[in-house]
Amino acid sequence: MTPVRVGVFGLLGSGNLGNDGSLEAVLAHLRAAHPQAVVDALCGGPEAVTARYGIPATRLHWYRGEYRTASRAGAIAGKGLGKLVDAVRTAAWVRRHDVVIVPGMGVLEATLPLRPWGFPYALFLLCASGRLLGTRVALVGVGADAIADRATRALVRWSARLAAYRSYRDTHSRDAMRAMGVDTTGDAVHPDLAFALPAPPERAPGPAGTVCVGVMAFHGGNDDRARAEEIHARYLDGTIRFVRALVEDGRPVRLLTGDACDAPVVDAILGAVDSPLVTAAGAASLADLMREAAAADTVVATRYHNLVCALKAGTPTLALGYAAKSEALMAGMGLAAHCHPAREVDAGRLLEQFRELEKDAAGVRRTLADRNRAAALRLDAHFGALSAFLFPSTVPTPREAP
């Protein structure tokens, strides 16, 4: 039998732990259910992807300064030329594959600052190439949201329309694509792909009362550029006040991140709260984040996949949510009441919510155990359906989902 040629595509290996965790979940499924598949990547950080996952990888963009602001004529010309070169490069890469998978990630949203001619354009090139060349492109477990910018919205809408397969990590995402004019009939909804990763080991003993605080270089969304610094200053000030209050109560605090760009926020908190009780975790993967969360009494986090890891670990979790996806995630895990807006962090109210959560810690842990079991079954069923679409000749039999 000729091996199936599978490509994986996205901002992978670029420092975002959530993106890489989604890739890890898909690779684990492919290796277990389809060991004959030959896999490679077109991604943001090819060296990191090859080193970590052992698959060949190609750089996503020809122009290496794609995500830096271009102000000089040479840089502007380089970016412009790169768009033309990338159209050819993407088509040539797609042609070599039977299937291309975009694993999870918020590829159909602009809840964080995003330019249309960056990743949205790259995704459109992928999906258009797949349609023209007969390669099936699957958007698997992706996130979506309403997009105000016309150019970005058009590229995202056409990318979704041209994909051969779509599934979403929550109902809100599917509804958002339907509102943008995409026919979502038959599109599946299932838990985030990271819920398919191995559960962390049994809770390791840590310092009594440890609280993990997941922080983020949060500056608002794509429509908040004019207020970005104001939003960030308010978020940072509220988070510092909250961490300081925990320390005054004698609670050890572990600072978590989910992207390399979050490091300055950790540094700012460590500088503002000078206490040996506050330490930074050097997590390099979602597995590391899950272990940190499992060792804590409680987690308060901003980044989406910090929340996923805490919930997967079964630890009582409070979300500093910055988009509808955070609220959808918490509601799906039975914790809808435990959310606080990242745009308007009120340290006093956040501390009240934190204490309310801890009062019901035992009940929350039971709820999360039940929801995690259900999530595993739903993802198992979804992977079976995905295999039936992408690999119809060898279809594993999924467990029945609830």
Side-chain angles (χ1 to χ4, degrees):
M1 181 182 296
T2 302
V4 179
R5 300 164 299 175
V6 180
V8 290
F9 176 95
L11 293 177
L12 310 165
S14 301
N16 185 286
L17 302 187
N19 292 358
D20 290 353
S22 299
L23 169 63
E24 185 177 343
V26 166
L27 289 178
H29 168 68
L30 291 173
R31 287 165 175 165
H34 307 285
Q36 80 284 0
V38 177
V39 184
D40 73 306
L42 184 63
C43 60
E47 297 86 0
V49 166
T50 297
R52 173 166 289 182
Y53 303 110
I55 61 174
T58 303
R59 186 171 298 279
L60 179 59
H61 298 290
W62 173 79
Y63 182 63
R64 290 177 177 263
E66 176 60 40
Y67 294 104
R68 294 195 295 268
T69 301
S71 55
R72 296 184 179 181
I76 294 172
K79 278 198 171 186
L81 176 60
K83 304 306 174 192
L84 300 176
V85 175
D86 284 344
V88 177
R89 292 175 69 251
T90 301
W93 182 80
V94 169
R95 184 190 291 274
R96 298 197 298 269
H97 298 85
D98 301 299
V99 174
V100 173
I101 297 174
V102 180
M105 305 176 285
V107 297
L108 303 178
E109 64 182 56
T111 53
L112 297 176
L114 182 71
R115 298 295 189 188
W117 305 112
F119 187 78
Y121 174 71
L123 183 66
F124 170 74
L125 289 180
L126 172 78
C127 296
S129 297
R131 179 61 65 92
L132 289 171
L133 299 171
T135 299
R136 289 164 293 175
V137 174
L139 308 181
V140 181
V142 297
D145 208 337
I147 298 174
D149 181 77
R150 293 180 63 182
T152 304
R153 185 172 65 248
L155 288 167
V156 164
R157 179 173 60 244
W158 277 106
S159 295
R161 285 176 172 173
L162 292 168
Y165 180 95
R166 296 179 299 269
S167 66
Y168 308 96
R169 63 191 180 191
D170 51 54
T171 302
H172 174 82
S173 295
R174 184 172 62 184
D175 292 346
M177 294 314 299
R178 183 183 297 121
M180 276 192 262
V182 177
D183 181 3
T184 60
T185 304
D187 291 0
V189 173
H190 54 80
D192 187 83
L193 293 174
F195 281 103
L197 295 173
E202 291 296 322
R203 185 181 179 194
T210 296
V211 181
C212 283
V213 178
V215 301
M216 178 180 180
F218 178 62
H219 294 78
N222 209 44
D223 302 326
D224 299 316
R225 292 178 183 272
R227 300 177 52 237
E229 291 309 313
E230 174 193 341
I231 290 170
H232 180 66
R234 184 164 187 171
Y235 167 78
L236 182 59
D237 178 69
T239 305
I240 288 172
R241 289 175 183 271
F242 176 67
V243 170
R244 185 176 290 127
L246 292 176
V247 169
E248 288 172 355
D249 284 346
R251 303 293 293 270
V253 176
R254 291 284 282 171
L255 299 177
L256 309 180
T257 60
D259 194 294
C261 69
D262 299 332
V265 179
V266 171
D267 293 341
I269 295 172
L270 291 174
V273 186
D274 185 13
S275 168
L277 289 174
V278 185
T279 55
S285 67
L286 293 193
D288 291 344
L289 288 175
M290 287 185 204
R291 281 190 289 270
E292 291 284 347
D297 283 16
T298 312
V299 175
V300 179
T302 307
R303 278 202 179 273
Y304 181 83
H305 279 99
N306 275 195
L307 294 173
V308 170
C309 289
L311 296 168
K312 172 78 175 177
T315 302
T317 302
L318 199 163
L320 279 174
Y322 64 88
K325 61 184 178 184
S326 304
E327 296 174 359
L329 172 64
M330 295 294 284
M333 296 300 286
L335 302 184
H338 301 292
C339 295
H340 188 94
R343 293 170 183 274
E344 300 176 358
V345 179
D346 180 329
R349 174 58 185 149
L350 182 59
L351 193 60
E352 289 175 7
Q353 290 180 278
F354 172 80
R355 288 169 176 161
E356 290 168 4
L357 174 65
E358 290 209 313
K359 286 179 183 177
D360 189 31
V364 169
R365 287 184 181 275
R366 287 193 296 271
T367 296
L368 290 178
D370 292 341
R371 298 298 174 104
N372 275 311
R373 282 191 290 270
L377 289 171
R378 290 178 62 197
L379 275 169
D380 193 46
H382 174 69
F383 276 129
L386 178 66
S387 288
F389 179 81
L390 298 179
F391 310 95
S393 60
T394 55
V395 182
T397 302
R399 290 174 285 176
E400 184 180 354

